């Protein structure tokens, strides 16, 4: 599966493609084909002045032509079209033009890659030019022509060695060694060296590679000043090839400090991005050695290859970093998007559809927080491995966020197979991971979206998958959702709500409804649960189901939650002052985010102090699914709350995953049995109701049990018989504003009985 986009391999393919060519035009043709693939461009052309040497795709004369910069690439976008221009070689009049007709414009890393490829092409074209020149000069003299052709071929062969090393992404020092060795053997000289300028101090040179140097000299000369570096220093300063031989009356000497006996030497500047970054040097001990124009051309060709090697290394690294997640090696979101754009364009043409799957890990944060980042990293790599193992070579897998992965499914056009693949992948993630000798299990949620026929909008498709993922998250861990158009409406509604929620507390739009909780043995009200409502100026009353999770995600829950706590305690204290001795309990729901805040115990203590409510009259409810997150930290926090004297309840019990072992560890007093179980009572169900067993479990642990969602009189008796202590539900009373509950509580008939056991 193509989980990695490899610019290294692209560069290799490119150099491979052009290095076999024997004339300028065939090299240009090979280059445009290869570049179109590497750069994912719709059109690629190589131009020489006004002439077109080669083109792939269609050149539109009306398109923008960015001015060709001396170094690097220039990029211009006009509408959906993005055009990239790079000069091929210096002062050659040749340039590269790459065009994308839609999708994402060229990014910097791609411009760098194009620059690197152009530099490699420039060298090949220069070598071919050189060869053509020699053929022309040699003309009638067959002996000389044969000799020149041999030299030309050898040069190309030696350069190919270097090019292959670049293509292989060999370390730079290996490539440099290939260059000095190549120059030395081709020129038949005793010594070759590559000296590079110090990045911090350009007046100093380092020996980057030597060939034929005695060790002693190498060690002495590993660092030298430009002035002490003879012809190499001169070549660098003058930015031109410098030659010294016995016959030349040049003021400069050959004394590169190397050794006596050097009769002739020459050095060529090494350029990278139009700066002279070093020099390539050869020397001979033969007294008759004269460096003619052909020798100079050879040295120049090798010196230019140093620049290409540096450029390629930089482009490859830059591209790799820009397009890959350093931890997992998977494609980055930028690369994924890029692929998606092209896949969509292709699909639109072929009238097919494209499927995108987004995966989100559930409990990743817990692993990270509990076992540390190293464990989190191992888990992510493990997830990446399992996902990629479950995909085909043609699929693309990318890491999007901390714990989010994206998949582009190739050739899957129907919902069913997409669902099957996703389910299989989800199942693979449910198998335990072994991390640092410990078994870790996680779950995931996933959203799937398909492009519409002819759809080219990558962002819309990703957004669809994201909406489906959001819906799946709301369904709970392990769920997979397929995008449906209605989800967009939900999203828009949420976005609007989020804006308004910010002001809800300060604008006094929140209020509390209270739902009585009764003693099942006699129907007397023992207390109330406070349930928040949002009186939205336009939308009317908004249910907590619609905004608590949003408040939780955005963090507004902290202010909403402390308002609720304060208001509920204030109200309860007031009721208890009016009804001395009634001992009315108040129950307040806490969200996951509130529980995790270290200042929660202080907040609760402060509210109790300010409102004067007796701590034992306050019950804090936490849903089961929140409890099992990060168990140790939660247990610690619950003990601190217990120490204040308040009671703790597990809400929605039976819907999470808590095992008995967990339950024992939580210092809770009350178990609230979820409505789901209560619904089963009195209904003809195939199996027996689970409620008695859950009530029994609660009693075994010494907890008070409360049944939620009692809607029907017929549910009351079985609950009481199975030992359930208290109940709450529409049958007794709906949640209602304080004023109405009050009537119920202070009813002139005063019994506070809200139902009769039939
Ligand atoms: P919950 O804590 O389990 O509250 C019980 C929910 O069941 C309430 O929904 C209540 O109106 C509803 N309910 C009670 N009896 C019946 C019945 O007989 N039949 C049916 N169908 N439903 C019944 P509500 O008020 O919409 O609240 C929903 C959830 O929102 C609550 O579930 C709680 O988890 C959360 N919530 C409410 N207020 C707050 C709050 O102030 N803070 C936090 N963090 N969460 C809150
Ligand atoms: Mg509750
Ligand atoms: Mg509940």
């Amino acid at each position: 599966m193509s989980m990695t986009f490899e610019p290294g391999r692209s560069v290799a393919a490119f150099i491979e493609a052009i290095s076999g060519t024997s004339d300028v035009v065939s090299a240009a043709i090979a280059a445009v084909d290869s570049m179109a693939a590497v750069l994912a461009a719709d059109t690629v052309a190589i131009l020489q002045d006004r002439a077109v040497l080669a083109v792939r795709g269609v050149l539109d004369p009306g398109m923008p032509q960015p001015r060709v910069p001396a170094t690097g690439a220039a990029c211009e976008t006009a509408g959906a079209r993005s055009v990239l221009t790079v000069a091929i070689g210096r002062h050659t009049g040749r340039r590269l033009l790459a065009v994308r007709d839609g999708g994402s414009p060229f990014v910097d890393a791609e411009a760098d890659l194009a620059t690197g490829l152009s530099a490699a092409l420039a060298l090949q074209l220069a070598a071919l030019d050189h060869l053509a020149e020699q053929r022309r000069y040699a003309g009638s003299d067959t002996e000389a022509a044969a000799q020149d052709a041999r030299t030309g071929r050898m040069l190309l062969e030696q350069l190919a060695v270097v090019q292959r090393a670049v293509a292989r992404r060999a370390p730079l020092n290996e490539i440099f060694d290939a260059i000095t060795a190549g120059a030395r053997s081709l020129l038949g000289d005793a010594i070759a060296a590559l000296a590079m300028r110090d990045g911090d101090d350009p007046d100093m040179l380092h020996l980057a590679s030597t060939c034929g140097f005695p060790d002693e000299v190498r060690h002495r000369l590993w660092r030298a000043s430009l002035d002490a570096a003879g012809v190499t220093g001169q070549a660098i300063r003058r930015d031109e090839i410098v030659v010294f031989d016995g016959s030349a009356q040049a003021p400069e000497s050959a004394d590169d400090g190397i050794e006596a006996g050097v009769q002739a030497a020459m050095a060529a500047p090494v350029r990278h991005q139009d700066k002279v970054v070093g020099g390539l040097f050869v020397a001979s001990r033969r007294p008759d050695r004269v460096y003619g124009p052909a020798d100079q051309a050879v040295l120049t060709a090798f010196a230019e290859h140093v620049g290409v090697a540096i450029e390629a290394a930089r482009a490859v690294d830059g591209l790799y970093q820009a397009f890959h997640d350093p931890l997992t090696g998977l494609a980055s979101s930028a690369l994924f998007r890029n692929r998606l754009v092209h896949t969509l364009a292709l699909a639109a043409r072929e009238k097919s559809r494209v499927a995108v799957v987004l995966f989100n890990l559930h409990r990743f944060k817990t692993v990270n927080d509990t076992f540390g980042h190293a464990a989190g990293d191992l888990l992510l790599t493990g997830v990446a491995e399992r996902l990629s193992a479950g995909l085909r070579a043609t699929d693309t897998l990318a890491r999007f966020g901390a714990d989010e992965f994206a998949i582009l499914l190739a050739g899957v056009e129907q919902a069913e197979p997409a669902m099957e693949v996703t389910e299989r992948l989800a199942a693979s993630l449910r198998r335990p991971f072994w991390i640092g000798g410990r078994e870790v299990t996680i779950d995931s949620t996933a959203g799937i979206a398909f492009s519409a026929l002819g759809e080219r909008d990558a962002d819309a498709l990703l957004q669809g998958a994201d909406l489906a993922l959001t819906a799946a998250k709301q369904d709970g861990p392990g769920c997979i959702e397929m995008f449906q158009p209605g989800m967009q409406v939900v999203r828009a509604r949420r976005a609007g709500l989020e804006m308004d929620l910010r002001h809800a507390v300060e604008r006094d739009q929140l209020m509390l409804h209270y739902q009585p909780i009764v003693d099942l043995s006699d129907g007397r009200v023992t207390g109330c649960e406070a349930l928040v409502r949002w009186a939205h100026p336009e939308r009317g009353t908004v249910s907590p189901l619609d905004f608590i999770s949003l408040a939780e995600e955005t963090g507004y829950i902290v202010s909403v939650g402390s308002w609720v706590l304060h208001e509920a305690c204030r109200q309860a204290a007031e009721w208890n002052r009016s009804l001395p001795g009634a001992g009315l309990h108040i129950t307040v729901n806490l969200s996951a985010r509130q529980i995790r805040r270290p200042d929660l115990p202080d907040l609760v203590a402060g509210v109790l102090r300010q409102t004067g409510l007796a701590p034992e009259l306050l019950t804090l409810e936490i849903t089961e699914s929140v409890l099992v997150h990060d168990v140790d930290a939660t247990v610690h926090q619950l003990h601190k709350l217990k120490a204040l004297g308040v009671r703790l309840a597990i809400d929605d019990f039976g819907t999470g995953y808590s095992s008995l072992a967990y339950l024992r560890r939580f210092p809770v007093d009350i178990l609230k049995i979820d409505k789901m179980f209560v619904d089963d009572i009195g209904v003809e169900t195939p199996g027996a109701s689970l409620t008695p067993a859950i009530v029994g479990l609660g009693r075994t642990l010494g907890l008070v049990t409360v049944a939620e969602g009692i809607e029907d009189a017929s549910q009351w008796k079985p609950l009481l018989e199975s030992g359930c202590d208290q109940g709450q539900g529409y049958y007794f009373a709906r949640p209602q504003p304080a004023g109405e509950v009050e009537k119920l509580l202070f009813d002139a008939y005063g019994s506070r009985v809200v139902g009769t056991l039939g």
Side-chain angles (χ1 to χ4, degrees), residues 529 531 589 621 623 650-653 655 672-675 708-709 728:
E529 173 168 9
L531 295 159
N589 293 281
E621 274 186 16
T623 56
I650 298 187
D651 202 358
D652 304 339
F653 185 74
T655 57
K672 292 188 82 173
I673 299 160
D674 194 72
K675 179 173 185 300
E708 290 187 281
Q728 179 181 355

Side-chain angles (χ1 to χ4, degrees), residues 103-126:
S104 45
F106 290 107
V107 297
D108 287 351
E110 287 168 323
D112 285 348
L113 178 64
T115 310
L117 298 180
S118 299
L121 178 61
L123 286 182
Q124 179 68 7
L125 295 183

